[in-house]
Amino acid sequence: MEELPTDDAADLVAELPAGDREAVLEEITDRADVERLLKYPEDSAGGLMTANVVSVREDATVAEAMEAIRRQSEEDESQLYQVYSVDGQGTLHGIVPIARLIVSAPTKLVRDVMEQPIVQVQPQQDQEEVARLMARYNVAAVPVVDEAGKLLGRITFDDVVDVVEAETTEDILKFGGMEALDAPYLKVAFGRMVRKRAGWLAALFLGEMLTATAMAFFQEEIAKAVILALFVPLIISSGGNSGSQASTLVIRAMALGEVNLRDWWRVIRREVATGLVLGMVLGAIGFLRITLWHTITGIYGEHYLLVALTVFGSLIGVVTFGTIAGSLLPFVLRRLSFDPASASAPFVATLVDVTGLVIYFTVASVILRGTLL
Amino acid sequence: MEELPTDDAADLVAELPAGDREAVLEEITDRADVERLLKYPEDSAGGLMTANVVSVREDATVAEAMEAIRRQSEEDESQLYQVYSVDGQGTLHGIVPIARLIVSAPTKLVRDVMEQPIVQVQPQQDQEEVARLMARYNVAAVPVVDEAGKLLGRITFDDVVDVVEAETTEDILKFGGMEALDAPYLKVAFGRMVRKRAGWLAALFLGEMLTATAMAFFQEEIAKAVILALFVPLIISSGGNSGSQASTLVIRAMALGEVNLRDWWRVIRREVATGLVLGMVLGAIGFLRITLWHTITGIYGEHYLLVALTVFGSLIGVVTFGTIAGSLLPFVLRRLSFDPASASAPFVATLVDVTGLVIYFTVASVILRGTLL
């Protein structure tokens, strides 16, 4: 425990049963530091940071800064990238990359070799945000300061790499419509794996049952014109696919910080236009397919042009609706403080399928009334 | 150009028209270094690395190593994390974290303070693999060596961060069934966005057209028993959802290096069992839904139990098939040297839909022969 950086020590203590914590804490020389870290949630900047930083006054010389590094030799030096310069109150004023100390004349003042901290974070900030900032500014370490700007600790890129990897896995598995596993794929016990997958699958199944209800509602139309049933999978899957494209784009743009909640109206306007164009493209392909196929095989009956028109019109409606629903859903989830990444392809498809059926049969009843229906 | 690290200079030169390259190269003092980097593809370790490294002999002293850093002051020191120790042939023998030079006595030998390089890469290695190694071993910089172990350059974590982000975006967008955009969502021109999305959507649509062909094949069955049409969306979407779960799991496990090509048989065996259990769970829910609903509303006719049994049996078949197809597809894609992440939810769903229909109507014709069919 004594050998560990304070952030790892705090994580370990947090995992102990409450009764044992006191005994362990009593043995730790950095007790105050470790206790301070225990206050922050594990997934916040405070939970990630280590309190062992090398800090020097601005009016110290480069030689004195190097001396400060030698004194703080308890930790592995390979994670030491920067020295922080602070004033009498401990407020962070600047950062000196370690190599710059070596390059600079020993009598120079820290003030003259330091640079402004381009990124600093507060302990309550979410770890994902910290990772995003470090990636954007390409920094190997970032100082953690309180509201008054007082230096509390630092986070190094190796702390953040695991966060990013875990979050990406979680997001990607959500995209595939399932909960994150807590172990590598081949190591998860069979029963556990099935339970993790069955939950979402059953939820989607229950949602998808509404399609059976919707289809039952149009049972009469299907009985009169069986030909309508033939295009049901084609139509609803197009809605699902366009919806999943739209939701994926918006979710990723949100994760990268390219799109925020307040952009929702801009995004939706854009997606409505996109959906209409995509719907017309698919509709035209569908129209061609039906008319061509009929010319060759004659299987779609005398009203094949009206059927082709029904498919054309439905696809425009379904694809536009799918695109709007898919792009809106991540905003709604985020507004309700859920993870937007839950708007997975299967979730969006399920949501869009029922509406797709309603659109299709409504368009059909308008276009085919008096002929097939 | 003179101010840039050689890796960025090489990237810039690579983007120039061929005619201008020579003129620019003539002006560059590090010409040999830049030209060497131009040989490697931009997405390889060689394309990412910079040739400006600080290297010293093993029998140099710590003071001499610090002097070597001072001589190599052309570059921004904030990216300088390590000094490399080499022998007379330039072969890499060890790594010294910069901070350790400061902490160690100036008269100590580099040999006595260096550590073994835990990770080193070769220039032809893929950038994604480099990123994975750096993340796994938590190193801020990694040396690049040739086959003989000769030090060629180094890659720092900031070079890799952008790679990881771009690759993740590409993967996630592939998951959503579309090509990666080359700019932030709100900045991509409308026409470009539509083209990027229409391609995949149209391809999926063409694939999904096979469902219309399959449905036409069973047109007679549907005419005789319209009730069968009601459950078509429910059945095929279950296949798609279970398939997308399986493919997502396998793709992510591959990306994290948890699963390799040679594990395919282990994975498939596991997925067959998982698919059977998941199919039985969904089948049971479907069976209950139909029998309960019939008890309340009576809409499914006298043979409702046989219909429920058809749905139960089909779901087992469809979910098992979806799970197998979804988990197998990433292996097939990878074996054929495609990106396994292309096995997106929409792609898998499209693949599984046609088979789902065939399974469903085949089960129906067995169970319902003599009654409804």
PDB file of all heavy atoms in Angstrom, chain B residues 274-285:
ATOM      1  N   THR B 274     -25.802 -20.357 -26.738  1.00  0.00           N
ATOM      2  CA  THR B 274     -26.455 -19.112 -26.319  1.00  0.00           C
ATOM      3  C   THR B 274     -27.705 -18.859 -27.158  1.00  0.00           C
ATOM      4  O   THR B 274     -28.772 -18.518 -26.634  1.00  0.00           O
ATOM      5  CB  THR B 274     -25.490 -17.918 -26.489  1.00  0.00           C
ATOM      6  OG1 THR B 274     -24.245 -18.229 -25.855  1.00  0.00           O
ATOM      7  CG2 THR B 274     -26.050 -16.661 -25.875  1.00  0.00           C
ATOM      8  N   GLY B 275     -27.575 -19.041 -28.473  1.00  0.00           N
ATOM      9  CA  GLY B 275     -28.701 -18.797 -29.367  1.00  0.00           C
ATOM     10  C   GLY B 275     -29.885 -19.688 -29.041  1.00  0.00           C
ATOM     11  O   GLY B 275     -31.036 -19.231 -29.023  1.00  0.00           O
ATOM     12  N   LEU B 276     -29.613 -20.959 -28.742  1.00  0.00           N
ATOM     13  CA  LEU B 276     -30.701 -21.881 -28.410  1.00  0.00           C
ATOM     14  C   LEU B 276     -31.441 -21.414 -27.154  1.00  0.00           C
ATOM     15  O   LEU B 276     -32.671 -21.379 -27.126  1.00  0.00           O
ATOM     16  CB  LEU B 276     -30.149 -23.298 -28.202  1.00  0.00           C
ATOM     17  CG  LEU B 276     -29.879 -24.086 -29.491  1.00  0.00           C
ATOM     18  CD1 LEU B 276     -29.126 -25.373 -29.185  1.00  0.00           C
ATOM     19  CD2 LEU B 276     -31.205 -24.403 -30.205  1.00  0.00           C
ATOM     20  N   VAL B 277     -30.663 -21.037 -26.132  1.00  0.00           N
ATOM     21  CA  VAL B 277     -31.304 -20.598 -24.884  1.00  0.00           C
ATOM     22  C   VAL B 277     -32.100 -19.313 -25.118  1.00  0.00           C
ATOM     23  O   VAL B 277     -33.258 -19.190 -24.713  1.00  0.00           O
ATOM     24  CB  VAL B 277     -30.251 -20.387 -23.771  1.00  0.00           C
ATOM     25  CG1 VAL B 277     -30.913 -19.822 -22.523  1.00  0.00           C
ATOM     26  CG2 VAL B 277     -29.549 -21.693 -23.452  1.00  0.00           C
ATOM     27  N   LEU B 278     -31.464 -18.345 -25.815  1.00  0.00           N
ATOM     28  CA  LEU B 278     -32.161 -17.072 -26.073  1.00  0.00           C
ATOM     29  C   LEU B 278     -33.408 -17.313 -26.922  1.00  0.00           C
ATOM     30  O   LEU B 278     -34.462 -16.717 -26.674  1.00  0.00           O
ATOM     31  CB  LEU B 278     -31.221 -16.084 -26.781  1.00  0.00           C
ATOM     32  CG  LEU B 278     -30.047 -15.563 -25.942  1.00  0.00           C
ATOM     33  CD1 LEU B 278     -29.116 -14.709 -26.802  1.00  0.00           C
ATOM     34  CD2 LEU B 278     -30.556 -14.754 -24.751  1.00  0.00           C
ATOM     35  N   GLY B 279     -33.306 -18.207 -27.906  1.00  0.00           N
ATOM     36  CA  GLY B 279     -34.457 -18.525 -28.744  1.00  0.00           C
ATOM     37  C   GLY B 279     -35.591 -19.118 -27.922  1.00  0.00           C
ATOM     38  O   GLY B 279     -36.762 -18.787 -28.126  1.00  0.00           O
ATOM     39  N   MET B 280     -35.232 -19.981 -26.967  1.00  0.00           N
ATOM     40  CA  MET B 280     -36.276 -20.578 -26.135  1.00  0.00           C
ATOM     41  C   MET B 280     -36.928 -19.528 -25.241  1.00  0.00           C
ATOM     42  O   MET B 280     -38.140 -19.551 -25.027  1.00  0.00           O
ATOM     43  CB  MET B 280     -35.697 -21.724 -25.314  1.00  0.00           C
ATOM     44  CG  MET B 280     -35.621 -22.994 -26.159  1.00  0.00           C
ATOM     45  SD  MET B 280     -35.154 -24.440 -25.204  1.00  0.00           S
ATOM     46  CE  MET B 280     -33.382 -24.307 -25.265  1.00  0.00           C
ATOM     47  N   VAL B 281     -36.121 -18.598 -24.728  1.00  0.00           N
ATOM     48  CA  VAL B 281     -36.686 -17.529 -23.897  1.00  0.00           C
ATOM     49  C   VAL B 281     -37.684 -16.709 -24.709  1.00  0.00           C
ATOM     50  O   VAL B 281     -38.838 -16.523 -24.315  1.00  0.00           O
ATOM     51  CB  VAL B 281     -35.563 -16.615 -23.343  1.00  0.00           C
ATOM     52  CG1 VAL B 281     -36.154 -15.396 -22.658  1.00  0.00           C
ATOM     53  CG2 VAL B 281     -34.666 -17.386 -22.384  1.00  0.00           C
ATOM     54  N   LEU B 282     -37.247 -16.224 -25.890  1.00  0.00           N
ATOM     55  CA  LEU B 282     -38.146 -15.410 -26.709  1.00  0.00           C
ATOM     56  C   LEU B 282     -39.337 -16.235 -27.192  1.00  0.00           C
ATOM     57  O   LEU B 282     -40.478 -15.753 -27.208  1.00  0.00           O
ATOM     58  CB  LEU B 282     -37.404 -14.814 -27.913  1.00  0.00           C
ATOM     59  CG  LEU B 282     -36.279 -13.829 -27.608  1.00  0.00           C
ATOM     60  CD1 LEU B 282     -35.903 -13.062 -28.871  1.00  0.00           C
ATOM     61  CD2 LEU B 282     -36.673 -12.855 -26.512  1.00  0.00           C
ATOM     62  N   GLY B 283     -39.070 -17.484 -27.559  1.00  0.00           N
ATOM     63  CA  GLY B 283     -40.153 -18.358 -28.007  1.00  0.00           C
ATOM     64  C   GLY B 283     -41.212 -18.526 -26.926  1.00  0.00           C
ATOM     65  O   GLY B 283     -42.418 -18.461 -27.203  1.00  0.00           O
ATOM     66  N   ALA B 284     -40.759 -18.710 -25.699  1.00  0.00           N
ATOM     67  CA  ALA B 284     -41.703 -18.881 -24.588  1.00  0.00           C
ATOM     68  C   ALA B 284     -42.537 -17.613 -24.397  1.00  0.00           C
ATOM     69  O   ALA B 284     -43.756 -17.678 -24.205  1.00  0.00           O
ATOM     70  CB  ALA B 284     -40.943 -19.224 -23.304  1.00  0.00           C
ATOM     71  N   ILE B 285     -41.861 -16.441 -24.474  1.00  0.00           N
ATOM     72  CA  ILE B 285     -42.611 -15.189 -24.333  1.00  0.00           C
ATOM     73  C   ILE B 285     -43.646 -15.080 -25.458  1.00  0.00           C
ATOM     74  O   ILE B 285     -44.807 -14.738 -25.235  1.00  0.00           O
ATOM     75  CB  ILE B 285     -41.660 -13.961 -24.369  1.00  0.00           C
ATOM     76  CG1 ILE B 285     -40.625 -14.040 -23.241  1.00  0.00           C
ATOM     77  CG2 ILE B 285     -42.452 -12.661 -24.255  1.00  0.00           C
ATOM     78  CD1 ILE B 285     -39.613 -12.910 -23.255  1.00  0.00           C
TER      79      ILE B 285
END
